[in-house]
Amino acid sequence: MKNLLSTLIAVCITVCSMAQTQDHLSFKGIPITGTMTSFCQQLKDKGFTQIDSDNNITLFTGDFTGETATVGVVATDDGKNVFRVGVLFDPSGEWNTLENTYDYYKKLYTRKYGEPKISIEKNPAYTDSNALKMAEVHQGTVVWGSAWETKGGTIEISIEKSSEAFEGIVVIRYSDTQNVEAKIQSDMDDI
């Protein structure tokens, strides 16, 4: 009887640990979990090149769906858990370029994950003028984004203001639910 109980407990622990591992969102096949060091090494193994590191954010450049992009990895302040990955495409001063890039990735994610849970696409410019549309991006009045909830987390895509004047940027964010919650709990312990 003890052997049977021990075996059942071992099986339950194994199944639970496997289920927890599978519940993490992945980026390029890498689960968004673990230390900053281990996650970044896995990105390097996939061909990404580290370009900068500051506290709990590490930046890479590399191939994302055939496009060169900057990838940012964000970990908790102590670096123990990676909880978010962002993909940033080259900035553009052309609204059509931004919208076409956004539309392409929105279609890809919709094909993989189904219709987005939320999608808001509003540029308050009342004309088709590129200059006026980019002025709205520069002012931060454009709301152009979609989000998907997956088993392991949330994926968001948006058009946002770039650091350069009158340019925008398409950003994709992967947020792992378990590790975002762990970060929030850690922050709540600090207050």
Side-chain angles (χ1 to χ4, degrees), residues 62-100:
D63 177 72
F64 182 76
T65 66
E67 299 290 327
T68 300
T70 301
V71 173
V73 180
V74 183
T76 54
D77 296 336
D78 59 8
K80 287 185 179 175
N81 282 307
V82 170
F83 66 94
R84 185 168 290 140
V85 175
V87 178
L88 295 84
F89 296 96
D90 288 338
S92 177
E94 298 295 320
W95 176 256
N96 284 340
T97 299
L98 296 171
E99 188 176 23
N100 288 339

Side-chain angles (χ1 to χ4, degrees), residues 18-55:
M18 286 173 58
Q20 288 176 349
T21 303
Q22 294 173 352
D23 286 341
H24 287 285
L25 187 60
S26 291
F27 174 75
K28 291 197 65 86
I30 307 167
I32 301 174
T33 191
T35 65
M36 177 70 90
T37 303
S38 67
F39 188 88
C40 289
Q41 183 57 53
Q42 292 178 72
L43 273 180
K44 289 175 185 176
D45 293 345
K46 295 234 180 219
F48 282 83
T49 303
Q50 185 174 331
I51 55 175
D52 198 9
S53 182
D54 185 25
N55 295 326

Side-chain angles (χ1 to χ4, degrees), residues 155-173:
I155 300 170
E156 303 168 359
I157 182 171
S158 59
I159 297 175
E160 301 177 11
K161 177 181 175 179
S162 173
S163 59
E164 299 296 320
F166 296 98
E167 287 190 342
I169 189 166
V170 175
V171 179
I172 301 172
R173 290 180 182 84

